[in-house]
Amino acid sequence: MHPTLVSLVQHPALKLEVLAGQDGLAAEVRWAHVSELADPVPYLEGGELLLTTGLQLDVTDSAAMRAYVGRLADAGVVGLGFGVGIHHPAPGALLDACRERGLPLLGVPRRIPFLAISKAVSAALAQEQYRAVTAGFAAQRELTRAALSEDGHRALLERLAAQVDGWAALYDITGAVGHAAPAWAARRAARLGEEVRRLCERPVPASAVAGGDSSGEAADDRVELQTVGGSSPPRAVLAIGTAAPLGTAERYAVQSAVAVLTLLTERSRAFQEAERRLGAAVLHLLLSGEPEHARAVAGELYGGLLDAPLRIVVAEPAVTGPAAADDDGLAEFCAAMEATAARAGEDVLAVPDAGQLVLVAAEAGAVLAACARYADGAAPRGGRREERRVVLGISAPAGPTSADSAYQQARQAVVMARRRGRTLAEHDDVTAGSVLALVADDAVRAFADGLLRPLREHDARGRGDLVASLRAWLGHHGQWDAAAAELGVHRHTLRYRMRRVEEILDRSLDDADVRMELWLALKATAL
């Protein structure tokens, strides 16, 4: 807290006299400034105690003094110190103007130099700063001890809430509240999920101030949000709710809490990196058909995940090619799924692998539901759907011994999702669809064009309609009369054309594989 006019008036060495504005003596003094200018406002910032001898003032001119005092009050000056008996024996009309405006006017005895007042203000500010720094160090020690206790994060938030005389909460990047202190603050904190998600989209470090919900009990809260962690996306977000802006000591406490939480999360990140390397080995063993070895390596790390029906999710960047080099979308999706699993008390195995992310999750668990919500864009953001940065493929339920097949199913589902312009596809969608959708591929089209090109060139020279005849004959399962009727030609003409097809392609239409390839080639070029 800054020194006040009251503390200066009560200073035994200054002998200041209150001449006017007694009701404003509780104002805090940010600095003491000496000026003899008739208009010192351009050189003021607000919160000053202005000291003057009235050298350029006509203290007998009531209108001039009202204008002078009005300018000072409008500029945020908290008090005026007047050197009595130096240039003017009494403040005169200046006294009346200060009374009218309610601006405290302090009489400075002739023997007291203005420098003494400036030193007193400076010393009080330095003392306050020292107290704030000392309190900050004490808060840091207390918060660190709390963080290292058995109930680390919750204990830290409880200490922080007491330090700022308010409440504190810690969120994951999905906007869900992980811890809150005191306990009643969880309900208030839950209303800020949208602001937390928006903050997580900004480069770190980032902060924001959010007001309370005017319709509820949090209407008077002023909430500061701070990202936690040293890289994007952040590891968490800290919220501090107070009834008023934070003071210096409280801000030191908040900064200490962010620093301690960052250290904890970075330490956790190192453990997570080690866990992911272990997870990669476990996944490799699963996909190699060695579930027993996978269980032995994992130990109790993934609970019962490797003993129950599971599903495999493959996530790839929505944008392919050079623009897919940035895998922030995969990292964000991974963090969101791990946070979901932690809240639900589920185990999940997440392994980044060659530009994709492989998730092994329990069948029909919270993680699978979160994948569906992610793809559906169910989380509201200003009434619009979220832009999705990954494409997901989900396998059918499988046991640990069938993990490799499940992985292949998930990869096929990703391909299907891309073909259909969707964010998510399940293996059931692949098997329920038509195989014709799978031929809509550049490589398949190139093969089809090459296979049918000799027939198209023959037709282009005006020597018959071999492509249409082949399509009709295959479409009628080789029935000559039905195909000839569709084309409007005699069946002998159609037989001649089919012999020409065989001669040009050097393939026999009696071969079922040849008929299948030709039919798919016709479909691919049509698509």
Side-chain angles (χ1 to χ4, degrees):
M1 182 177 178
H2 290 84
T4 63
L5 292 176
V6 170
S7 66
L8 296 178
V9 170
Q10 294 175 349
H11 196 293
L14 299 181
K15 309 296 184 182
L16 301 178
E17 181 184 0
V18 181
L19 303 178
Q22 287 84 352
D23 293 339
L25 295 179
E28 294 185 354
V29 179
R30 300 174 64 104
W31 196 245
H33 181 66
V34 180
S35 177
E36 299 294 351
L37 296 175
D39 184 12
V41 168
Y43 307 99
L44 302 176
E45 295 181 350
E48 295 92 352
L49 169 62
L50 185 66
L51 303 174
T52 183
T53 64
L55 177 63
Q56 296 190 31
L57 301 179
D58 183 358
V59 298
T60 63
D61 187 337
S62 297
M65 291 302 95
R66 280 196 296 272
Y68 175 74
V69 171
R71 289 194 296 271
L72 297 183
D74 292 341
V77 171
V78 298
L80 181 62
F82 184 76
V84 179
I86 300 176
H87 295 290
H88 303 283
L94 179 61
L95 178 61
D96 296 331
C98 288
R99 284 173 177 166
E100 290 176 9
R101 191 60 190 259
L103 180 69
L105 178 64
L106 307 181
V108 182
R110 186 184 181 91
R111 69 180 185 278
I112 302 298
F114 287 168
L115 181 60
I117 299 174
S118 297
K119 283 184 175 181
V121 172
S122 179
L125 291 173
Q127 186 177 13
E128 173 60 26
Q129 184 72 12
Y130 176 76
R131 281 198 298 267
V133 171
T134 302
F137 281 125
Q140 186 176 35
R141 287 193 298 269
E142 186 176 350
L143 293 171
T144 301
R145 283 196 297 268
L148 296 176
S149 66
E150 184 176 350
D151 197 15
H153 288 81
R154 188 179 301 279
L156 183 147
L157 293 180
E158 289 174 353
R159 298 288 197 285
L160 179 61
Q163 291 279 348
V164 301
D165 191 23
W167 59 268
L170 195 63
Y171 302 79
D172 62 32
I173 65 169
T174 68
V177 179
H179 304 284
W184 53 260
R187 202 172 121 211
R188 295 189 183 187
R191 297 175 179 151
L192 299 172
E194 181 63 25
E195 285 84 352
V196 170
R197 287 190 291 272
R198 281 200 295 267
L199 187 65
C200 290
E201 295 174 351
R202 293 163 51 186
V204 297
S207 62
V209 176
D213 184 352
S214 60
S215 64
E217 61 182 328
D220 296 331
D221 281 351
R222 178 186 184 275
V223 184
E224 289 197 19
L225 302 173
Q226 300 268 357
T227 57
V228 174
S231 60
S232 296
R235 303 298 295 176
V237 172
L238 175 66
I240 308 97
T242 54
L246 297 173
T248 304
E250 290 81 5
R251 191 157 298 285
Y252 272 122
V254 171
Q255 291 171 353
S256 296
V258 172
V260 171
L261 287 170
T262 297
L263 289 174
L264 288 177
T265 55
E266 292 304 324
R267 183 168 175 262
S268 298
R269 190 193 298 269
F271 282 126
Q272 287 175 353
E273 289 302 322
E275 181 180 328
R276 284 187 178 169
R277 287 194 293 271
L278 180 61
V282 171
L283 179 64
H284 175 73
L285 290 171
L286 274 178
L287 300 186
S288 299
E290 301 183 55
E292 294 302 325
H293 289 160
R295 291 190 189 96
V297 171
E300 298 181 0
L301 185 58
Y302 301 108
L305 179 63
L306 306 183
D307 297 315
L310 51 83
R311 291 201 188 199
I312 291 183
V313 181
V314 170
E316 294 181 353
V319 179
T320 58
D326 181 6
D327 63 351
D328 283 351
L330 290 178
E332 178 182 326
F333 173 73
C334 180
M337 294 304 106
E338 288 179 335
T340 298
R343 289 197 305 273
E346 293 183 5
D347 295 297
V348 63
L349 171 58
V351 180
D353 179 41
Q356 65 180 14
L357 178 74
V358 182
L359 287 177
V360 180
E363 179 193 3
V367 173
L368 267 297
C371 288
R373 288 195 302 272
Y374 183 92
D376 188 50
R381 293 202 180 182
R384 62 179 175 84
R385 287 173 62 89
E386 299 177 57
E387 179 183 355
R388 293 311 184 183
R389 300 168 64 183
V390 301
V391 178
L392 307 178
I394 302 179
S395 74
T401 57
S402 304
D404 181 55
S405 297
Y407 172 69
Q408 298 301 330
Q409 292 173 358
R411 292 191 61 183
Q412 293 164 4
V414 168
V415 174
M416 177 60 71
R418 289 191 185 278
R419 290 186 186 281
R420 297 182 180 179
R422 293 164 52 181
T423 307
L424 179 146
E426 296 191 35
H427 178 65
D428 290 345
D429 299 330
V430 177
T431 58
S434 171
V435 72
L436 293 179
L438 300 178
V439 304
D441 182 87
D442 291 341
V444 175
R445 288 195 185 99
F447 169 78
D449 288 338
L451 181 61
L452 298 176
R453 185 180 298 113
L455 301 182
R456 296 188 189 281
E457 291 175 351
H458 177 276
D459 292 347
R461 292 193 295 268
R463 298 185 178 182
D465 200 354
L466 298 186
V467 175
S469 300
L470 177 62
R471 181 180 293 110
W473 184 75
L474 291 173
H476 286 283
H477 312 291
Q479 296 180 15
W480 298 103
D481 291 338
E486 177 183 324
L487 294 168
V489 300
H490 195 276
R491 64 178 180 274
H492 293 316
T493 302
L494 180 59
R495 286 181 184 274
Y496 170 76
R497 290 180 180 178
M498 292 302 98
R499 284 197 300 272
R500 291 291 297 139
V501 167
E502 290 180 319
E503 292 170 358
I504 292 172
L505 298 180
D506 192 23
R507 295 181 180 223
S508 171
L509 293 178
D510 292 334
D511 190 327
D513 290 340
V514 171
R515 294 196 301 272
M516 178 194 68
E517 288 181 0
L518 289 171
W519 178 249
L520 289 178
L522 290 168
K523 286 295 183 180
T525 54
L527 290 173

